[in-house]
Amino acid sequence: MTLQNVTKRFDKTVAVDRISLEVEEGELVFFLGPSGCGKTTLLRVIAGLEIPDTGKILLQGNDLAFRPARLRNFGMVFQSYSLFPNMTLAQNVSYGLECHRWTNDAKQKRVKELLGMMHLEDHKDKYPSQLSGGQQQRVALARALAPNPLVLLLDEPLSALDAKVRAELRGEVRDLQKGFGITTVMVTHDQEEAMEMADRIVVMNQGGIEQVGTSTDLYYRPANIFVAHFLGKMNRLRLDRPGLNPPTLAGRRLCGAGDEGRQTASVYVRPEAVEILKDSRPGTNRFAGRVIKTSFLGNLTRVEMEVAGQPLAAELRYTGASSLQAGEEVTVYFPPEAILTIVDSQ
Amino acid sequence: MTSMMKASNPATLLISRIDDRKLLLVFGILISVLLVLFVAYPLWSIFRMSFISPQGGWSLSNYVLFFSEPRLVGIVFNTFAMTITTTIITMILAYLFSYAMVHSAIPFKRTWILIALSPLFAPSLIHALGFQFLLGRNGLLNMAFNLGFSIYGFWGLVFSNTLYAFPHAVLILRSSLAFADQRIYESATMLGASGWRIFRTVTVPASRYGLMSAAFIVFAVTITDFGNAIIIGGNYKVLATEIYTQVVGQANFNLGAVVSMVLLFPTAIAIGMERWITKRQPALVTDKFVPLRVKPRRAFDAIMLVCVGLICTAIITVIGIVIYASLVRLWPYSMVLTLHNYLEPELQNGFEPLLNSIWMALMTAILGVSVTTLAAYVVHKMSGRFSRILYFFSILPGAVPGMVLGLGYIFVFNNPANPLVFLYGSLLLLSICTSYHFHAQGFLTAITSFKQVSAVFDEASAMLGGSIIRTLRKVTLPIIWPSLVRSSVFFFMQAMVTLSAVIFLFSPASTVASVVVVQLEDFGDMSAAAAFATLIMLSVIVMLTTLQGLMRLIGIRNISLIG
């Protein structure tokens, strides 16, 4: 499926701004971004629930941009439970099959097959209100998949569920998607969800695409500051002078930064990459700092410090970290490979 | 996963089905034609007629005539004096009653409410009849205590209309008071506020939208009422009766149209204000809402019980005396109890008018729900200017007095040049007129139901390949049908009791029961009039109970048919 220059305006605001994108057959692509970034609108344009102002949506060579939703044969799962409350689970799942005029036998077989796959066969004569949220979303998924859609669209399907069910369903959705081999687009604002499940992630902001790539691409090689901050936590270190080669921090050389001689004013380092050393001997990329606050978070300890006159956070896994006291002098170490240089127009 | 091979072909779907947007447009055009024919055109005809001089040609002469005639200006003054007095009294009583229902711990609340709403089952004129039987020339109290007091005129109208408008106000006030949030009352008490202070600073401000909107509704209901005015108004003329006098009495259609315009104006403003206030009202219930728990307070509850008891006694007495009067031989000459008025009525057409009423009301129940639901669906699904215009014309009839709409129908359908002239004088036209007279209420109910059915269902159905017809048939209607049943009950009830919309339109063959009550009262056959009024009430109640029973029988409970 290929999107070309898709734009959607609501009155004056541009919700989706000239987006072009290619989704491979059988791929699971995520639209990730803060609320209001246009990810849901883009999904709805693909679904046919919104008509784009410009652009093409190509699937197997046909442009679908102006074809009504019901003639596209795309499956969709909505954020809120969208099961028809007046129908049983089996009726819900077979609804799409009736719309596509399947024969009775084929219908029954298909409903059985899908409910079986979702482990909901025992509940087939129940009504949606008798099910838990997680079960309802499973049925919604079964209903969307039943008529063999060409593309599956998922609009934050897990966000209304509680944390435990959500984690469970992530795996299930992923397995089903791979099992059916169906091209899938899923929208989320939960970066963890996207990183865990996606083949590729499209990071969106203000109607445009910031970066497209795999989880590791985005995490270790963010194309810009927005992506760097949106996926995981990030420290920013202002250099002494922009464009100085070699770059320095607090008067000392910072290895790893600006290797390509780029004209940057700041470099970035993830909190979990920052090390706190016991010995205070000077060395490469070692800087003196002072602890401001520590927070014990269970699996890790977050230490907030002041280094070279700037705030810096570190996340440490070893247990001794929580014994650090506010005001304590420490030495921090930045591994050169963890220093990120991001050239950004902003 | 063999069935995966059976990928359906979107192309076959494309040709095998009608385009949804075209279908919606066809519905939209159908609804527009009906609204133009049965709402806009009749209103335009009245407007036009009021500006056509008797010699022909456009002029202001009818208006000049109206406002230079002291008698007619006096009628305008009378109308406002009576309506405003009624509104004030009704609002005080209805607020007191609703406050007692929500904030006191008095027993039998359901019974009190049922009594308070019972006037809705009867034509408005039943109150005028009741007061006449109590305090009229030959009224029970007048005869017993020789009061020499005449109920006819201003106070008779005010009393009758107060009872008539009371349930309308209670319905609005009770629901606006019922959204009292327990937490606000608790914090007010914690801050040391006294009961009276809480009432002044919390209760009244919280219900101000309800208060205003109820006041405008009471105003509109009272100013447009014809039944009470014709029976108990005596020489105290109001606009609603004056339209009738001009048109039926003097065949002066131009002046009748002017009086209609004069009546339409304040009514439309009141209803417009009510809509405006309702729209501005913030959402009453948030998801964190904690309903009020009332604690018994002895003295307060006792006072409230007395007030509620008195109000309900008044309502029951006035309706009860009508039933009693229907059971005597011939009020006031022969007061023997008998079923004579029911078993051997000395009437021209027997009980045919009652059957006409029931038949007309059943037609209205179906017709009213169909046109309002379809209109609401089109407005709900479409956007843009066309949809807004349809919305306006759909709620416009709510601001039009029944007398005015009825007169408009005369102008349109009693015109030999109109191909629909065959409708004139038929029960079907009475039914159409009633359906459109109450179009706004049915339409607003339907559009609220459509809005409550999450838009996600529509989208989910479209994604699965469902057309709008299938979505409507399989998803939307099965979800909202209880509210449609309620709406059809509303149309049925209104059609049974309506008088103002049909008083101009009936023919000898299509006389309905409410008209017969007026005719019998006019002849002085009070007991027969009372019997007919009672029969109307009885038919409504029987129909409601039957329907409720039927729904129980097929296993549907928890659906209240009224309100």
Side-chain angles (χ1 to χ4, degrees):
Chain A
M1 181 172 64
T2 309
L3 308 185
Q4 281 177 3
N5 242 334
V6 173
T7 300
K8 175 71 190 172
R9 281 185 211 89
F10 292 112
D11 294 326
K12 291 268 155 55
T13 48
V14 184
V16 172
D17 191 10
R18 285 163 297 171
I19 281 190
S20 298
L21 179 71
E22 223 160 292
V23 181
E24 303 294 331
E25 177 108 39
E27 193 182 24
L28 174 54
V29 167
F30 266 72
F31 293 169
L32 176 67
S35 54
C37 72
K39 55 191 192 296
T40 294
T41 307
L42 182 58
L43 191 79
R44 290 170 60 81
V45 168
I46 297 174
L49 298 172
E50 304 284 354
I51 299 166
D53 295 307
T54 63
K56 286 181 177 168
I57 299 165
L58 299 172
L59 187 71
Q60 297 157 356
N62 301 317
D63 182 10
L64 304 179
F66 299 99
R67 182 179 290 184
R70 74 181 178 94
L71 305 176
R72 289 189 191 195
N73 195 20
F74 285 9
M76 183 145 174
V77 177
F78 297 84
Q79 176 179 5
S80 55
Y81 314 133
S82 59
L83 297 180
F84 305 129
N86 55 319
M87 299 181 197
T88 62
L89 299 199
Q91 287 167 337
N92 261 289
V93 175
S94 90
Y95 184 88
L97 307 177
E98 284 161 28
C99 295
H100 289 86
R101 314 237 161 130
W102 284 39
T103 61
N104 265 335
D105 286 351
K107 256 190 323 209
Q108 273 168 18
K109 212 172 134 216
R110 182 69 172 160
V111 170
K112 206 169 159 185
E113 176 189 7
L114 277 158
L115 284 179
M117 232 181 271
M118 303 290 168
H119 314 292
L120 287 166
E121 260 193 318
D122 301 339
H123 302 291
K124 71 178 170 49
D125 293 322
K126 283 192 183 167
Y127 287 91
S129 57
Q130 296 167 293
L131 299 184
S132 69
Q135 287 171 321
Q136 289 197 38
Q137 281 309 57
R138 277 200 197 101
V139 180
L141 199 58
R143 184 179 69 176
L145 287 169
N148 290 318
L150 305 169
V151 175
L152 180 64
L153 306 171
L154 308 164
D155 184 8
E156 306 208 29
L158 309 180
S159 66
L161 306 173
D162 57 51
K164 214 168 170 184
V165 182
R166 192 158 56 205
E168 232 175 80
L169 268 177
R170 277 181 193 168
E172 261 183 63
V173 172
R174 170 85 197 168
D175 292 346
L176 271 172
Q177 188 268 336
K178 287 297 157 215
F180 279 83
I182 183 170
T183 312
T184 302
V185 180
M186 178 156 162
V187 159
T188 187
H189 61 265
D190 179 346
Q191 27 133 329
E192 209 180 287
E193 190 172 290
M195 292 178 74
E196 182 182 331
M197 295 169 71
D199 291 325
R200 276 195 307 154
I201 298 173
V202 177
V203 181
M204 290 182 64
N205 186 31
Q206 294 179 345
I209 293 179
E210 295 284 353
Q211 190 177 359
V212 182
T214 62
S215 310
T216 46
D217 279 345
L218 299 178
Y219 196 78
Y220 292 115
R221 288 174 291 282
N224 53 47
I225 296 165
F226 178 84
V227 176
H229 280 286
F230 196 75
L231 287 150
K233 299 194 181 80
M234 191 62 103
N235 286 302
R236 177 185 184 195
L237 291 169
R238 266 187 308 279
L239 298 173
D240 292 343
R241 259 171 52 205
L244 203 66
N245 206 1
T248 59
L249 182 70
R252 304 185 32 177
R253 187 163 173 217
L254 191 59
C255 288
D259 289 342
E260 295 112 47
R262 290 176 185 169
Q263 302 271 320
T264 52
S266 305
V267 294
Y268 295 83
V269 58
R270 298 230 178 249
E272 72 272 18
V274 176
E275 291 173 24
I276 296 182
L277 304 178
K278 286 283 173 210
D279 65 314
S280 56
R281 281 171 304 169
T284 318
N285 280 7
R286 289 183 180 201
F287 296 88
R290 198 160 45 82
V291 176
I292 293 168
K293 192 179 137 194
T294 61
S295 335
F296 177 64
L297 303 174
N299 59 344
L300 48 79
T301 302
R302 188 173 168 82
V303 184
E304 283 165 49
M305 297 168 287
E306 193 183 280
V307 173
Q310 302 178 33
L312 178 84
E315 286 176 356
L316 305 167
R317 295 220 165 262
Y318 66 92
T319 43
S322 55
S323 64
L324 287 168
Q325 296 296 314
E328 206 174 320
E329 301 289 335
V330 290
T331 304
V332 297
Y333 170 65
F334 303 118
E337 68 278 8
I339 304 264
L340 299 173
T341 310
I342 301 168
V343 181
D344 204 283
S345 52
Q346 288 164 6
Chain B
M1 263 174 239
T2 44
S3 53
M4 272 200 58
M5 294 297 109
K6 189 190 175 300
S8 81
N9 182 359
T12 57
L13 282 173
L14 197 62
I15 44 167
S16 67
R17 292 175 196 193
I18 314 157
D19 190 329
D20 281 354
R21 267 168 288 184
K22 276 188 195 140
L23 192 63
L24 204 56
L25 198 64
V26 171
F27 287 161
I29 290 167
L30 175 69
I31 284 299
S32 315
V33 168
L34 291 174
L35 281 171
V36 165
L37 192 59
F38 295 114
V39 177
Y41 189 45
L43 288 178
W44 162 250
S45 305
I46 288 194
F47 179 80
R48 188 175 152 276
M49 193 63 108
S50 76
F51 284 103
I52 300 276
S53 74
Q55 290 77 39
W58 290 75
S59 85
L60 277 172
S61 63
N62 299 319
Y63 286 88
V64 173
L65 187 69
F66 180 91
F67 285 106
S68 56
E69 171 97 49
R71 192 183 74 85
L72 292 171
V73 176
I75 286 175
V76 177
F77 179 80
N78 280 354
T79 306
F80 276 94
M82 183 279 290
T83 305
I84 290 168
T85 313
T86 305
T87 307
I88 293 168
I89 297 177
T90 309
M91 288 304 294
I92 293 170
L93 292 179
Y95 199 78
L96 184 69
F97 182 89
S98 311
Y99 185 76
M101 288 301 121
V102 176
H103 286 270
S104 78
I106 59 172
F108 313 122
K109 280 186 183 169
R110 286 181 63 92
T111 315
W112 300 128
I113 286 169
L114 204 64
I115 294 172
L117 298 183
S118 63
L120 292 174
F121 302 134
S124 74
L125 50 81
I126 201 160
H127 308 291
L129 277 182
F131 276 109
Q132 223 177 337
F133 288 128
L134 284 171
L135 294 163
R137 233 166 275 123
N138 299 312
L140 219 49
L141 294 177
N142 248 352
M143 291 195 296
F145 304 107
N146 213 351
L147 296 170
F149 169 85
S150 172
I151 191 72
Y152 303 98
F154 180 80
W155 288 108
L157 263 174
V158 168
F159 291 157
S160 316
N161 279 331
T162 298
L163 287 191
Y164 168 52
F166 183 75
H168 295 270
V170 167
L171 278 177
I172 299 172
L173 288 176
R174 194 168 65 100
S175 61
S176 91
L177 280 168
F179 294 119
D181 196 317
Q182 173 77 15
R183 291 166 305 166
I184 294 173
Y185 282 84
E186 275 170 0
S187 27
T189 316
M190 294 298 290
L191 290 166
S194 65
W196 169 243
R197 197 187 176 82
I198 292 176
F199 176 77
R200 245 177 347 114
T201 57
V202 179
T203 313
V204 174
S207 58
R208 64 186 186 281
Y209 287 103
L211 265 171
M212 286 189 282
S213 112
F216 284 117
I217 290 291
V218 169
F219 180 91
V221 159
T222 306
I223 202 170
T224 58
D225 175 70
F226 173 72
N228 284 328
I230 193 97
I231 287 189
I232 213 164
N235 291 326
Y236 193 88
K237 296 286 182 212
V238 289
L239 288 167
T241 41
E242 187 59 23
I243 300 178
Y244 188 71
T245 311
Q246 291 294 343
V247 172
V248 174
Q250 314 188 356
N252 190 339
F253 290 100
N254 299 97
L255 212 52
V258 172
V259 183
S260 296
M261 294 302 291
V262 174
L263 176 61
L264 177 61
F265 194 63
T267 313
I269 289 178
I271 295 295
M273 291 295 286
E274 197 275 328
R275 291 294 315 151
W276 187 73
I277 288 163
T278 311
K279 269 197 184 153
R280 245 140 215 79
Q281 182 163 23
L284 287 170
V285 186
T286 60
D287 51 355
K288 295 201 180 77
F289 177 75
V290 183
L292 192 67
R293 289 183 300 273
V294 257
K295 292 191 204 83
R297 283 169 289 174
R298 260 220 155 114
F300 172 76
D301 290 344
I303 296 170
M304 286 296 151
L305 190 60
V306 170
C307 295
V308 167
L310 283 175
I311 293 172
C312 289
T313 310
I315 294 171
I316 290 184
T317 309
V318 172
I319 295 179
I321 193 86
V322 176
I323 299 172
Y324 172 71
S326 77
L327 294 171
V328 304
R329 182 70 214 256
L330 184 60
W331 186 287
Y333 310 106
S334 164
M335 301 289 265
V336 237
L337 282 180
T338 167
L339 282 174
H340 168 83
N341 292 308
Y342 294 98
L343 301 178
E344 309 148 46
E346 289 151 20
L347 304 164
Q348 218 177 344
N349 294 320
F351 286 113
E352 200 193 305
L354 186 69
L355 297 179
N356 279 346
S357 268
I358 292 173
W359 180 229
M360 194 276 267
L362 286 174
M363 276 199 287
T364 309
I366 293 165
L367 196 65
V369 170
S370 312
V371 293
T372 53
T373 306
L374 191 60
Y377 184 69
V378 171
V379 169
H380 176 66
K381 290 297 273 186
M382 281 185 154
S383 52
R385 187 171 295 160
F386 182 58
S387 166
R388 282 198 295 277
I389 293 172
L390 274 187
Y391 183 89
F392 175 77
F393 280 101
S394 292
I395 64 164
L396 178 63
V400 178
M403 300 292 291
V404 176
L405 194 65
L407 184 58
Y409 274 45
I410 295 191
F411 294 153
V412 172
F413 296 101
N414 195 20
N415 178 357
N418 188 331
L420 290 172
V421 69
F422 68 89
L423 282 174
Y424 192 71
S426 70
L427 272 182
L428 181 59
L429 190 67
L430 297 193
S431 174
I432 292 171
C433 183
T434 311
S435 297
Y436 279 94
H437 182 197
F438 298 101
H439 192 276
Q441 290 89 329
F443 173 81
L444 289 172
T445 308
I447 207 154
T448 313
S449 319
F450 281 125
K451 275 187 188 153
Q452 279 164 351
V453 179
S454 166
V456 176
F457 296 146
D458 276 2
E459 291 181 348
S461 176
M463 290 307 297
L464 291 164
S467 63
I468 60 168
I469 291 288
R470 180 187 285 269
T471 311
L472 205 55
R473 203 162 50 89
K474 294 274 184 176
V475 182
T476 317
L477 291 180
I479 296 174
I480 67 166
W481 75 266
S483 94
L484 297 185
V485 170
R486 255 200 305 274
S487 180
S488 70
V489 166
F490 165 82
F491 275 104
F492 178 84
M493 279 169 54
Q494 295 297 345
M496 283 301 293
V497 303
T498 191
L499 176 64
S500 58
V502 300
I503 192 80
F504 289 133
L505 300 175
F506 72 93
S507 66
S510 64
T511 310
V512 290
S514 54
V515 172
V516 172
V517 181
V518 176
Q519 290 173 340
L520 289 172
E521 199 273 344
D522 201 31
F523 298 150
D525 196 346
M526 302 295 286
S527 292
F532 245 100
T534 308
L535 282 173
I536 293 175
M537 254 190 314
L538 210 60
S539 315
V540 172
I541 292 168
V542 166
M543 198 56 90
L544 276 179
T545 345
T546 314
L547 190 58
Q548 193 92 62
L550 272 178
M551 283 168 61
R552 282 268 162 80
L553 211 63
I554 56 169
I556 295 152
R557 278 152 214 276
N558 307 326
I559 289 177
S560 149
L561 290 176
I562 317 158

